[in-house]
Amino acid sequence: MKSICKNTFNCPVEATIQLIGGKYKAVILWHLMSQTLRYSEIHKRIPNATDKMLAQQLRELEKDGLINRTVYPVVPPKTEYSLTDFGQTLAPILDAMCDWGTDYLK
């Protein structure tokens, strides 16, 4: 947790929501759990996200140390996103959210 002061939260749930509570943050993290993806691949998996919103959510996740952004110096530019080790620690939470959502949708 790089950009957030740990002492500003009143409870652990508040800290968790601060990190993954954005409109598409949990969904982005879910898609990055098993693989590295390019921006266009993430956008295809989250078609309702506007370019502006998706870019903002990715920047925040990177700033908070949950994802890596790798830019390759080629033409056209190639940018890939992957989870950091810190981001991987969210896997049990994301799995639980997926399980709950699956049960809810039944």
Side-chain angles (χ1 to χ4, degrees):
M1 196 160 34
K2 295 178 181 176
S3 65
I4 300 171
C5 179
K6 294 179 183 181
N7 298 329
T8 62
F9 300 108
N10 295 318
C11 76
V13 174
E14 187 179 357
T16 305
I17 290 171
Q18 177 67 35
L19 288 173
I20 67 170
K23 187 162 184 161
Y24 297 107
K25 286 182 181 181
V27 179
I28 292 167
L29 293 167
W30 172 256
H31 288 298
L32 293 175
M33 272 185 24
S34 60
Q35 60 192 315
T36 297
L37 295 172
R38 294 180 68 176
Y39 178 89
S40 61
E41 295 169 317
I42 296 169
H43 199 266
K44 284 178 190 172
R45 293 165 191 243
I46 311 171
N48 291 337
T50 63
D51 282 324
K52 180 181 176 183
M53 179 59 73
L54 186 57
Q56 176 186 346
Q57 299 285 277
L58 287 165
R59 275 193 305 274
E60 289 176 12
L61 289 167
E62 181 185 14
K63 180 183 69 152
D64 291 335
L66 295 171
I67 64 171
N68 288 316
R69 178 177 176 261
T70 306
V71 179
Y72 297 94
V74 295
V75 177
K78 177 181 173 183
T79 305
E80 292 183 336
Y81 296 90
S82 61
L83 289 184
T84 63
D85 289 340
F86 180 49
Q88 289 285 350
T89 64
L90 290 167
I93 295 167
L94 297 169
D95 284 335
M97 290 172 68
C98 182
D99 292 344
W100 188 91
T102 300
D103 289 344
Y104 172 75
L105 293 173
K106 285 182 183 174

